Structure formats: structure tokens, C-alpha cells
Amino acid sequence: MIPDRIIEQGTLTAAGGRASVEVRLPWYRALPASCISGAKLAVDGVEAPAASLRWQMNGEEFTFAEMKTNTAQWWFPTDSAVLSGDLEMDAGEHEVRVDLELYIPYIIMSDENSADSVLHIEEHDTKTMTARQVEEARA
């Protein structure tokens, strides 16, 4: 619905071999974590390994497997979530791509009783931005 606003401009960070970017919900109503069925993060055409992806919202971090049945956490259109993954990045300007897969549970597409019976949307956004390098806190 609003794919050009998925990636928050100026939020690309790199720390400890991980890249992260803030993302916004491309839908007009809040969704539970269980409806965020997948995402991809790529920097300069290099995709973060799927197993390394993490999703942070409401101050908590999750794997996509953990979110599959999570209906306690909600993503609101006014809130940014953070998508991160294992990607090495230098300082400077980078092309960032985020792909999101969402289920919209209240729009029924068929009479089947499965995840495929509700609306499934795939949205994509690409932005160029400068990465902020975040140094790990030293003890």
C-alpha cells in the first residue's frame, strides 16, 4: 500500500558485522507479529542470510520463527521496527533493499481455513543512504 515509505531514510547502521535499518508498516492498520511472515534485507545487492535476520519492535527482538505464533506483540503504523542481519558494511553510502511479506488477517480471500485464505501482500523498498558505524561499548 505504501511501499516507498517502508525504509526510514537515514537509519542504516552497522555494528559488529550486522546491518540494521528501521522499517515502517506499509499498511494502514496495526498487525500482530504473527502476520509479519517474512522479510529480506540486502545492502549493495548482498542479502543477509535468512537465519541471521532479527526483528525488533516494542523494545523486544525476535526471529521470524518466534513471531509465527506471537499475537501479543503488535506493529503499529506510527511505530518503526528494526530489521537486522549479518552483513559487513563499510562507512559511506549504500543501497538498501527491504522486502516484507505480510498477512492481513481481516481480509478473507477464500473459504479455506489456512494462512492462504487471507490477504497476503509482498512489498519492497530500496533507498540509498549513508551507514552509521556504531562502536560496541567497551567494558
Side-chain angles (χ1 to χ4, degrees):
M1 289 230 16
I2 315 168
D4 63 328
R5 295 189 200 165
I6 292 173
I7 300 172
E8 288 277 354
Q9 187 65 40
T11 62
L12 179 62
T13 60
R18 289 185 67 78
S20 65
V21 67
E22 292 182 21
V23 294
R24 297 294 293 260
L25 179 61
W27 192 249
Y28 65 99
R29 291 178 68 181
L31 294 175
S34 61
C35 289
I36 307 163
S37 61
K40 292 180 182 176
L41 172 63
V43 176
D44 298 328
V46 178
E47 194 172 302
S52 76
L53 292 175
R54 299 294 179 269
W55 187 267
Q56 183 181 353
M57 66 181 177
N58 305 322
E60 295 187 46
E61 187 174 88
F62 306 94
T63 64
F64 284 91
E66 292 169 332
M67 292 193 318
K68 193 170 189 163
T69 58
N70 186 337
T71 57
Q73 294 292 323
W74 284 72
W75 189 18
F76 295 92
T78 57
D79 296 340
S80 292
V82 177
L83 176 61
S84 66
D86 290 346
L87 282 170
E88 291 288 341
M89 254 190 329
D90 295 329
E93 201 167 80
H94 299 276
E95 181 184 83
V96 180
R97 179 177 169 100
V98 170
D99 301 326
L100 290 178
E101 297 177 24
L102 307 171
Y103 287 104
I104 310 302
Y106 42 83
I107 299 181
I108 308 301
M109 303 300 290
S110 74
D111 291 336
E112 296 176 26
N113 190 14
S114 71
D116 293 330
S117 66
V118 298
L119 180 62
H120 179 242
I121 61 173
E122 295 181 17
E123 297 289 350
H124 319 278
D125 190 13
T126 302
K127 287 199 172 51
T128 299
M129 65 182 87
T130 301
R132 295 179 297 149
Q133 296 288 327
V134 179
E135 291 189 29
E136 301 288 330
R138 291 189 170 84

